[in-house]
């Protein structure tokens, strides 16, 4: 059952990038579709958690939920959805896998935490992978919007890194609240902020005939139900049944899945340099997280250490 749930999580999170691409290509305004996805999913999960006695609506009155939602759901996904208008879903997924590296760099620069030598090597290797992905396309078919899209995805991962670091404090401060409820509250706030952004930037782009067409409506339903509700619930179930690190290894599996489904079902180009870039970024990401992975393999993620790892990895379920 655990392996089945893990496989479903990897498949869902790996295919959400293509679903985003299908939606925005079909005419869904990026900020509006992202806002509907997270606001609706957050509301439904929070209502479910409240009905089970796992939380109360007073959780929404805490500023920590707003700040976390602004960084994780709003900052990360406003960038990702906008960028997928101009970059492939596979490339967006691979660039998004740099999130753990951003966390390491931010901890080093802002919190003065000294990383291990292996983690630094992982950052360098991961950066080399980004170069492998970006430079060939620049040389063959330069597009300012394509390049901007790549940069915006990375900016979104900086927001994600800041939100992940902040979520450590939030998870510790709300240790008596279900992580699923915390995730629902931040998604609700992030979705609301995305809808406000859409109100000011996309008012003329929202058309009823587009919203109810097969492709955009299907993509939005898939992202809301499968991506934000089923995927996240299974992720936290796996955390409870195993440890915080094992379920989060979806980050290493999702880029190849995203590249593969984009190639097979959407005709996205894949070259040998693309595959090399994917493998290089994955290698760098694994090196950045090598200590946590060793802890998982040695079975030491228990007690306070496990709780600390859980706090730092809860945010990895967002994509």
């Amino acid at each position: 059952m655990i392996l089945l749930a893990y496989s479903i999580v990897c498949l869902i999170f790996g295919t959400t990038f293509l679903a985003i691409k299908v939606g925005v290509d079909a005419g869904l305004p990026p900020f509006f579709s992202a806002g509907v996805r997270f606001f609706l999913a957050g509301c439904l999960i929070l209502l479910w958690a409240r009905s089970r006695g796992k939380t109360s609506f007073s959780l929404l009155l805490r500023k920590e939920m707003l700040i976390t939602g602004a960084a994780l759901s709003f900052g990360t996904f406003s960038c990702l959805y906008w960028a997928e208008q101009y970059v492939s879903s596979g490339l967006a997924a691979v660039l998004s896998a740099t999130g753990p590296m951003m966390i390491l760099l931010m901890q080093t620069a802002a919190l003065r935490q000294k990383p291990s030598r292996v983690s630094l090597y992982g950052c360098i290797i991961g950066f080399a992978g980004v170069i492998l992905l970006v430079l060939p396309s620049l040389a063959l078919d330069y597009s300012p919007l394509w390049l901007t899209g790549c940069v915006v995805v990375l900016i979104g991962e900086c927001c994600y890194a800041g939100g992940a670091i902040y979520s450590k404090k939030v998870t510790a401060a709300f240790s008596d609240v279900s992580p699923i409820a915390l995730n629902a509250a931040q998604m609700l706030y992030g979705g609301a902020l995305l809808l406000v952004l859409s109100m000011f930037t996309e008012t003329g782009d929202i058309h009823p005939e587009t919203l109810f067409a097969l492709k955009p409506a299907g993509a939005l339903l898939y992202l809301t139900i499968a991506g934000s509700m089923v995927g996240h619930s299974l992720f936290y179930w796996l955390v409870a049944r195993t440890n915080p690190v094992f379920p989060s290894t979806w980050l290493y599996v999702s880029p190849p899945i995203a590249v593969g489904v984009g190639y097979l079902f959407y005709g996205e180009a894949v070259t040998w340099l693309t595959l090399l870039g994917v493998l290089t970024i994955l290698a760098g990401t694994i090196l950045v997280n090598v200590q946590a992975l060793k802890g998982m393999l040695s079975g030491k993620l228990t007690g306070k250490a496990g709780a600390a790892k859980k706090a730092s990895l809860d945010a990895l379920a967002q994509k």
Side-chain angles (χ1 to χ4, degrees):
M1 186 64 182
I2 288 176
L3 289 179
L4 176 61
Y6 175 73
S7 300
I8 293 173
V9 167
C10 291
L11 184 62
I12 288 175
F13 289 159
T15 53
T16 52
F17 294 93
L18 180 59
I20 293 172
K21 182 69 173 176
V22 169
V24 296
D25 282 357
L28 277 179
F31 303 141
F32 176 78
S33 56
V36 170
R37 168 191 174 181
F38 287 107
F39 185 80
L40 183 59
C43 286
L44 292 175
I45 295 175
L46 193 65
L47 286 172
W48 173 84
R50 177 66 183 87
S51 69
R52 299 290 296 272
K54 295 180 180 293
T55 188
S56 66
F57 294 129
S58 62
L59 184 65
L60 295 174
L61 301 178
R62 301 304 298 263
K63 68 179 185 303
E64 292 88 349
M65 300 301 105
L66 173 61
I67 296 172
T68 307
L72 290 178
S73 291
F74 175 75
T76 304
F77 287 94
S78 62
C79 291
L80 179 63
Y81 271 71
W82 183 89
E84 285 210 41
Q85 296 175 104
Y86 309 109
V87 303
S88 69
S89 63
L91 177 57
V94 175
L95 292 174
S96 294
T98 61
M101 301 175 203
M102 299 292 188
I103 292 175
L104 179 70
L105 293 174
M106 195 168 290
Q107 286 177 329
T108 303
L111 303 181
R112 306 299 181 185
Q113 295 182 7
K114 186 177 181 181
S116 67
R117 183 174 298 180
V118 173
S119 296
L120 286 176
Y121 289 157
C123 284
I124 295 172
I125 292 172
F127 181 74
V130 173
I131 298 299
L132 282 173
L133 284 173
V134 172
L135 282 185
S137 296
L138 284 178
L140 295 175
D141 186 24
Y142 173 76
S143 167
L145 284 175
W146 179 87
L147 179 59
T148 302
C150 292
V151 173
V152 167
V153 173
L154 295 176
I155 292 173
E157 290 309 302
C158 291
C159 295
Y160 161 78
I165 293 171
Y166 180 73
S167 71
K168 294 182 184 181
K169 298 179 180 180
V170 175
T171 306
F174 293 85
S175 58
D176 58 332
V177 180
S178 167
I180 295 178
L182 293 177
N183 183 51
Q186 72 85 12
M187 281 199 299
L188 193 154
Y189 272 117
L193 291 173
L194 284 161
L195 290 174
V196 170
L197 177 61
S198 174
M199 186 187 306
F200 286 100
T201 60
E202 298 173 335
T203 304
D205 299 328
I206 302 173
H207 305 291
E209 62 272 17
T210 300
L211 295 178
F212 295 104
L214 181 60
K215 281 188 176 181
L220 187 56
L221 283 174
Y222 180 78
L223 288 165
T224 302
I225 297 173
S228 293
M229 296 178 68
V230 176
H232 290 171
S233 298
L234 282 176
F235 177 89
Y236 286 111
W237 182 85
L238 284 169
V239 168
R241 291 298 182 93
T242 58
N243 57 61
V245 177
F246 170 68
S248 298
T249 56
W250 73 266
L251 279 168
Y252 315 140
V253 182
S254 63
I257 292 176
V259 171
V261 297
Y263 172 75
L264 291 174
F265 300 108
Y266 212 60
E268 294 181 347
V270 176
T271 66
W272 287 109
L273 279 176
T274 301
L275 295 177
L276 183 59
V278 170
L279 294 175
T280 304
I281 288 178
L282 291 180
T285 303
I286 291 172
L287 286 176
V288 167
N289 292 275
V290 69
Q291 291 180 335
L293 292 172
K294 285 181 178 179
M296 179 194 74
L297 295 175
S298 62
K300 293 180 180 178
L301 285 176
T302 56
K304 292 183 178 179
K309 288 295 182 184
K310 183 180 185 304
S312 65
L313 290 166
D314 274 341
L316 299 181
Q318 298 309 308
K319 298 180 180 65

